[in-house]
Amino acid sequence: MNTEAYLIITIISAIIFIGTAIFLICYLIYLRKTIYSDFVLQHSISLKKLNELNQHYIFYPKKNFDQSYTYDNENFFNSISCKDYLIYQLKYIKHNLFEQINKINYNNLLYSEYSEALQSILHFGHFDAPVHKLKSIKLLEIEHKLIEKNIYSPCTHFYLRVTLYCSNIHGQVYLRKSDIFSASEIVFLNNKLKDMNGDFYNDREIWDALCRVERGKVSNKMRFLIYKRDGYKCRKCGVSDKYAPLEIDHIIPISKGGKSTYDNLQTLCHKCNVEKGTTIHKY
Ligand SMILES: [Zn+2]
C-alpha cells in the first residue's frame, strides 16, 4: 500500500473518530438534560402547585377581528381613513366584537388574580425529594424554564387593526395604511353610532365617515360594469361618452341612505347629474 492510501485511511479514521466523539458528547448532554428535566417534573413543588392552580383558571382564547379592504381607486384610498372604515364596519358588520371585548376584559381581571396567586406559590428550588449529586444551579435553570412554559399568558388587552390597501388594475398592491384601535376607542365610536335623532346622527363626523366609505364602494371595476350595462350613454339625455364625460350616479343618494349597489347606480352625463342633484330619480 502506498503512502497516499495510508493518508486517506488515516483521514477517514480521524473523521469517524471525531464524528463518534461528537455524537457521544451530544448524547451525554441530552441524557443529562433528561435526567434533570425528569427530576424537576417529578419533584418541583412550585411546578406541582402551578399545575394545580392552572386547573382553576380558564381564559378565553384570542380571536382575530382585524379588518382589511383593498381599493382599486387611489382617490378613495386617500380620502377614506382607517377610522372611517372601522365606523362603517361597526354599523353594518358587528361580528361578535363586543362579546370578544367583554371576554378580554374578563381575561384581564382574571389574570391579575392569577398573577397574584402565582406570587404566593412560586418558590424556586424546593423539591420533595433529595437532590443527591444533581447540581442545584442546573436544576433551578430547568425549573425556571418549565415554569415559564407552563404559566398562562392569555390575551388581556383587546385591539383591532384596520388595514387599507390600494391596488392597480392588475391587482398589485402599491399603497398601504394601517391603524390600531383599542376597546375603549371602539366602544366610544359605537356609542356615537347609537346617538341618533330619528334617521340622523347627532355626530356629523360619524355620518361623513359612513358616506365616504359607502361612496368608496364604487370600485373602478364596478364603474366600468355600470357604464357597460348602460351602453356608455347618459341614461337621461342619451349622450355618449364620446361627447360628454360620464359619471356614476346613486339613484337614491348616499346622503339619503342609498347604497353603492348595482341596482342603485346609473350612468349620467355631468350636466344631467348636476341637474338631478340629491333628488331620487331612476332614468
Ligand atoms: Zn345627460
Side-chain angles (χ1 to χ4, degrees), residues 234-239 246 267-273:
C234 171
R235 288 229 308 223
K236 189 185 174 193
C237 71
V239 69
L246 296 179
T267 308
L268 290 182
C269 69
H270 179 70
K271 188 171 153 275
C272 292
N273 200 5

Side-chain angles (χ1 to χ4, degrees), residues 8 30 56 61 85 115 121 124 127 131 161 179 204 211 219 227 250 260 274 281:
I8 290 168
Y30 166 76
H56 295 101
Y85 191 76
S115 307
I121 62 158
F124 295 96
F127 302 101
V131 171
R161 183 189 291 272
D179 211 345
R204 181 65 203 253
C211 290
S219 63
Y227 287 152
H250 285 77
S260 295
V274 170
H281 203 111

Side-chain angles (χ1 to χ4, degrees), residues 27 59 62 74 97 167 248 257:
Y27 182 67
F59 293 98
K62 184 183 186 328
E74 200 176 320
L97 195 60
S167 71
I248 296 287

